[in-house]
């Protein structure tokens, strides 16, 4: 396996104290946009989470009380190692990648969408940015063809390939840099493939990259 280095670039626990900003992109896989009845966007749809949302994909992940329909969104997450410069390569700008869960209160999100209000309440709650350790990428081209998946118990709930992204990594990084700034120790969640669905108390989650288990955790309320 040559896509990734063996030793973590940063661990999920280091992220808790080192990460500065968290950016996410919505609807970046065509089949996922379709499953929620959304149009495919013509430019990246960016939102943010605070660093209080970070939670390692280990042990228990706690869902906040009073939220009945929290969905998993499995995503590749980039950890920036320096400022993005136009024309730079991903290898120069990104220190490592993780798998993450962009946890989403789907009922709240639907209500906010209908009301034309920001998504923060549905997307930015404590513990809503679950992350594994981050690994350095040695072959960005091979990464596009590498499968990643989320298992709930024995069932494969989500699986995807980065090659199916509507906006590729380079476009996302350049766009976020242009409009919001993007620098060392910022994270970028790059969107979820199809198969999102609700989490339940006691669910055993396994985050798998190319057949390797990167994260294992249990849902608790
Ligand atoms: Zn997402």
């Amino acid at each position: 396996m040559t896509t990734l280095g063996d030793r973590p670039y940063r661990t999920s626990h280091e992220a808790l104290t080192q990460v500065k900003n968290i950016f996410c992109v919505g609807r970046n896989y065509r089949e996922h946009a379709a499953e929620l009845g959304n149009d495919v966007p013509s430019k990246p749809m960016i939102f943010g989470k605070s660093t209080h949302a970070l939670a390692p994909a280990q042990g228990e992940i706690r869902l906040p009380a009073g939220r009945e329909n929290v969905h998993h969104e499995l995503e590749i997450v980039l950890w920036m190692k320096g400022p993005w410069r136009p024309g730079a390569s991903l290898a120069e700008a990104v220190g490592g990648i993780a798998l993450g869960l962009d946890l989403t209160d789907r009922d709240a999100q639907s209500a906010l969408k209908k009301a034309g209000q920001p998504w923060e309440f549905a997307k930015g709650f404590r513990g809503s940015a679950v992350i594994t350790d981050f690994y350095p990428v040695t072959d960005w081209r091979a990464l596009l063809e590498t499968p990643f998946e989320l298992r709930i118990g024995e069932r494969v709930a989500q699986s995807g390939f980065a090659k199916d992204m509507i906006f590729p990594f380079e476009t996302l990084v350049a766009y976020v840099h242009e409009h919001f700034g993007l620098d060392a120790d910022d994270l970028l969640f790059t969107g979820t493939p199809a198969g999102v669905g609700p989490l339940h108390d006691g669910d055993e989650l396994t985050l798998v990259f190319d057949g390797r288990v990167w994260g294992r955790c249990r849902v608790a309320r």
Side-chain angles (χ1 to χ4, degrees):
M1 184 62 211
T2 56
T3 312
L4 297 161
D6 283 327
R7 302 191 63 79
Y9 171 71
R10 296 283 191 276
T11 68
S12 57
H13 286 277
E14 287 171 327
L16 301 180
T17 54
Q18 294 178 10
V19 167
K20 292 188 176 144
N21 298 289
I22 305 169
F23 298 101
C24 309
V25 58
R27 300 175 201 168
N28 201 28
Y29 287 76
R30 217 166 289 276
E31 287 174 17
H32 168 63
E35 75 181 341
L36 295 183
N38 293 312
D39 293 333
V40 171
S42 57
K43 54 188 175 186
M45 216 175 65
I46 304 297
F47 58 95
K49 296 184 190 246
S50 85
T51 52
H52 302 297
L54 289 170
Q58 289 172 22
E60 277 190 352
I61 56 169
R62 291 215 155 260
L63 304 185
R67 295 174 185 258
E68 298 307 318
N69 192 25
V70 175
H71 278 204
H72 51 80
E73 294 192 358
L74 175 69
E75 315 203 356
I76 291 177
V77 186
L78 312 183
W79 183 313
M80 306 306 295
K81 70 177 174 188
W84 174 256
R85 291 179 294 97
S89 69
L90 289 170
E92 290 171 276
V94 179
I97 67 158
L99 290 176
L101 297 174
D102 162 24
L103 297 185
T104 303
D105 180 340
R106 197 68 74 199
D107 292 346
Q109 188 192 27
S110 300
L112 294 168
K113 275 167 150 177
K114 207 171 288 178
Q117 292 176 1
W119 290 4
E120 205 77 8
F121 186 85
K123 287 279 200 181
F125 53 87
R126 273 197 204 93
S128 63
V130 177
I131 47 167
T132 69
D133 292 344
F134 289 74
Y135 293 90
V137 177
T138 54
D139 186 340
W140 282 92
R141 193 178 295 268
L143 175 64
L144 300 178
E145 310 276 346
T146 304
F148 59 100
E149 67 182 36
L150 170 68
R151 296 181 198 148
I152 303 180
E154 298 299 307
R155 177 175 69 91
V156 176
Q158 289 190 266
S159 62
F161 292 91
K163 67 179 177 189
D164 294 327
M165 291 189 299
I166 295 167
F167 302 104
F169 295 128
E170 291 88 342
T171 305
L172 294 178
V173 165
Y175 185 88
V176 172
H177 175 260
E178 179 187 354
H179 294 283
F180 307 102
L182 192 63
D183 208 331
D185 302 328
D186 289 345
L187 300 187
L188 178 55
F189 280 66
T190 58
T192 189
V196 301
L199 292 174
H200 301 102
D201 197 10
D203 279 348
E204 302 276 353
L205 310 183
T206 311
L207 290 78
V208 181
F209 188 89
D210 199 22
R212 289 199 232 178
V213 173
W214 277 11
R216 210 190 283 278
C217 48
R218 189 174 58 261
V219 176
R221 285 202 180 262

